[in-house]
Amino acid sequence: MAFVSGSFLIFILLVCIVYFLVPKKIQWLVLLVASYIFYAFSGIKLLIFLILTTVVTFYTGRWLGKVNEQTSAYLDAEKKNLTREEKKLYKNKQVSRKRKILLCAILINFGILIFLKYFNFMADNINSIIGLFTTKAQIPLLNLLLPLGISFYTLQSVGYVVDVYRGKYEPDSNLPKFALFMSFFPQIVQGPIARYDQLAHQLYEQHHFEYNRVTQGIQLILWGFIKKLVIADRLAIIVDQIFNNYQSYEGIMLFIAGAGYGFQVYADFSGGMDIARGVSQILGIDLVLNFERPYFARSISEFWRRWHITLGSWMKDYIFYPLSLSKQFSKLGKKTRKLLGNYIGKKLPTFLSMFIVFLLVGVWHGSSWKYIGYGLWNGIIIVASILLEPVYIKVAQKFKVNTESFSWMFFQMVRTFILCSLGRFFSRGLSFLVAIDMMKRTFTKFNPWVLFDGLLLNLGLDIYNILVIIFMVIVMLVVGILQERGIRIRETLAKQNLYFRWLIYLGAIVLLLVVGIYGPGYSATEFIYQQF
């Protein structure tokens, strides 16, 4: 059931009616049933993987919780009889036990994801290596279906068991309620990747119908629909034309494809997030923000702090910090200080951890070498920028650059935008080698004059549709500027008089109905990140 469909709107309407009419104590049960019905539309057979991950995660959490309780109870009971060394030995024994339990859950949950998403990729590469020596004993490729949202709910499940292992909170004791946390339908398609302590209690609490929340939720849904159907799916026509026929283009046209895909992904992904957050807000539930105007970022590292925030936060808490603060990485840093100097040696654990994180970010996006290239592109730029930071400071001081001026900040935003757009060659290109070729052709045959010879009108859109894109990108830019200045647009709109508010609402609805891309022959309703 696609978010941008009439059936989804009917589904939401029915869910909301039932949700607010039933006794408040069983509202969570309505959400659970609705979530599983929604998920079943993607394939009833695929529900088994969601259920398996849910059961494994729930009982692992319970097991870890019992170990935590046993440890605390034993130490409290024997605190006067145990020496400090005996307490330490007991704690270490319990920690070792918990690690084994945690490792089992991680292997099962990630094992399901790796098998379904990456088996054919790994088998294909192994077959290529085997093929260098013999044509026999090839690994057969499997016809595997990827369950809806598996990349998202797998990270959510692993984050939960790690937090319980760390003692951040008590494990959930109600399996059906925990199943709701794992399957909440607005965010299971493409996130955000929720944390248990942020989302679970909201799902279980009682909620009343609130007019302001409902109206603001509907506004957010409408804005998400506009981003998806007016901007993203219109940009997709130009982007697909260039990327799928990249040999016919060069220079500025290839850069336009990369930049256009960046705006397409942003409108598509953030539009989906707006719909998810809007539906949740109607139900009285606040999902965490997953985007914070990433194209205002002044560096690639800041871009990733603003883009897909929950993925970056997950990687930081469960990969980056455990690696960079580990004993092994600390020892490595000490050794390299002697060889490479204080600055590089001190930063090396950070560099290596960050490099691994972005390699995993690339792999998470898909089972292809191009996604690995995408992760490496971002990781190399971020590591290089940190490594060369002292050089930047000296150059800025030498040329007396005012780093607080608007012109310098604007330059940084443009530079970041260009680097992000070039990186899109990897995430959207047909392959890793094609992405490299596109990047090469962008710089070796740069030809800005083609913008004025009518070539833009041969990309599948007429001048009317191109003007719609330009206008809507400007609208997104203005909305972003207002939000950067701290203006809460929906709250501000709610303070205006009734006639003005409804003029805005009706204008947005007319815009969606008149300019949105849908109807007979239109099938590109799936969100880009839904495929990940």
Side-chain angles (χ1 to χ4, degrees), residues 7 25 41 46 58 79-80 100 106 109 131 137 177 198 312 350 381 458 485 489 507 531:
S7 58
K25 63 182 180 181
F41 272 92
L46 299 178
F58 175 79
K79 61 182 178 181
K80 294 181 179 180
K100 292 175 183 176
I106 291 175
N109 289 343
K177 285 187 175 181
Q198 184 276 327
T350 301
I381 291 175
N458 294 320
R485 294 182 176 180
I489 294 175
Q531 304 165 25

Side-chain angles (χ1 to χ4, degrees), residues 388-426:
L388 297 174
E389 186 176 3
V391 178
Y392 298 152
I393 294 173
K394 289 180 181 178
V395 170
Q397 291 174 343
K398 183 175 181 179
F399 290 95
K400 298 180 180 179
V401 176
N402 181 4
T403 55
E404 299 301 320
S405 66
F406 171 77
S407 59
W408 179 252
M409 294 179 188
F410 182 72
F411 162 76
Q412 290 178 307
M413 285 189 285
V414 171
R415 177 191 62 190
T416 303
F417 174 73
I418 291 172
L419 291 172
C420 287
S421 298
L422 293 173
R424 297 298 177 187
F425 290 158
F426 292 102

Side-chain angles (χ1 to χ4, degrees), residues 485-502:
R485 294 182 176 180
I487 298 174
R488 303 172 69 88
I489 294 175
R490 286 183 295 159
E491 286 81 352
T492 302
L493 184 60
K495 296 176 182 178
Q496 308 307 311
N497 66 67
L498 182 65
Y499 298 107
F500 180 78
R501 292 203 310 271
W502 274 99

Side-chain angles (χ1 to χ4, degrees), residues 323-335:
L323 282 178
S324 61
L325 299 177
S326 66
K327 292 181 180 179
Q328 294 80 2
F329 275 53
S330 178
K331 291 178 181 177
L332 179 63
K334 291 177 180 178
K335 289 180 180 178

Side-chain angles (χ1 to χ4, degrees), residues 61-113:
R62 296 285 291 162
W63 195 357
L64 289 169
K66 286 182 179 179
V67 176
N68 287 336
E69 289 176 7
Q70 290 172 1
T71 303
S72 298
Y74 179 79
L75 291 176
D76 287 342
E78 301 292 334
K79 61 182 178 181
K80 294 181 179 180
N81 302 324
L82 296 174
T83 64
R84 182 179 296 181
E85 189 63 29
E86 288 173 331
K87 289 179 181 178
K88 186 178 180 180
L89 287 172
Y90 180 77
K91 285 182 179 179
N92 289 340
K93 180 181 177 181
Q94 294 296 82
V95 167
S96 178
R97 182 184 172 195
K98 289 201 303 177
R99 282 177 180 167
K100 292 175 183 176
I101 298 170
L102 176 65
L103 182 61
C104 287
I106 291 175
L107 288 176
I108 293 172
N109 289 343
F110 273 136
I112 295 171
L113 174 65

Side-chain angles (χ1 to χ4, degrees), residues 246 369-370 426 430-439:
Y246 75 97
W369 283 105
K370 68 177 185 177
F426 292 102
L430 301 179
S431 70
F432 179 85
L433 294 178
V434 166
I436 296 296
D437 187 39
M438 290 181 71
M439 198 169 293

Side-chain angles (χ1 to χ4, degrees), residues 174-278:
N174 187 310
L175 179 57
K177 285 187 175 181
F178 183 76
L180 172 58
F181 165 70
M182 289 293 298
S183 64
F184 184 47
F185 71 90
Q187 53 99 215
I188 199 171
V189 175
Q190 53 181 350
I193 302 165
R195 303 294 179 91
Y196 179 82
D197 55 339
Q198 184 276 327
L199 178 61
H201 68 91
Q202 295 190 75
L203 297 175
Y204 310 157
E205 290 168 355
Q206 300 178 12
H207 299 282
H208 298 274
F209 181 90
E210 295 181 24
Y211 176 78
N212 288 337
R213 290 188 66 93
V214 172
T215 55
Q216 289 190 10
I218 292 173
Q219 292 167 19
L220 201 52
I221 293 171
L222 182 58
W223 180 231
F225 268 70
I226 290 174
K227 282 182 178 179
K228 170 64 175 170
L229 294 177
V230 177
I231 305 172
D233 289 349
R234 186 172 265 103
L235 274 168
I237 296 172
I238 292 178
V239 170
D240 290 348
Q241 170 63 27
I242 299 177
F243 271 100
N244 294 340
N245 305 279
Y246 75 97
Q247 303 96 328
S248 303
Y249 303 96
E250 54 194 22
I252 191 69
M253 296 304 295
L254 293 179
F255 179 78
I256 286 174
Y261 183 62
F263 280 120
Q264 178 196 346
V265 172
Y266 175 68
D268 186 284
F269 196 9
S270 67
M273 290 298 97
D274 289 340
I275 296 171
R277 291 179 61 233

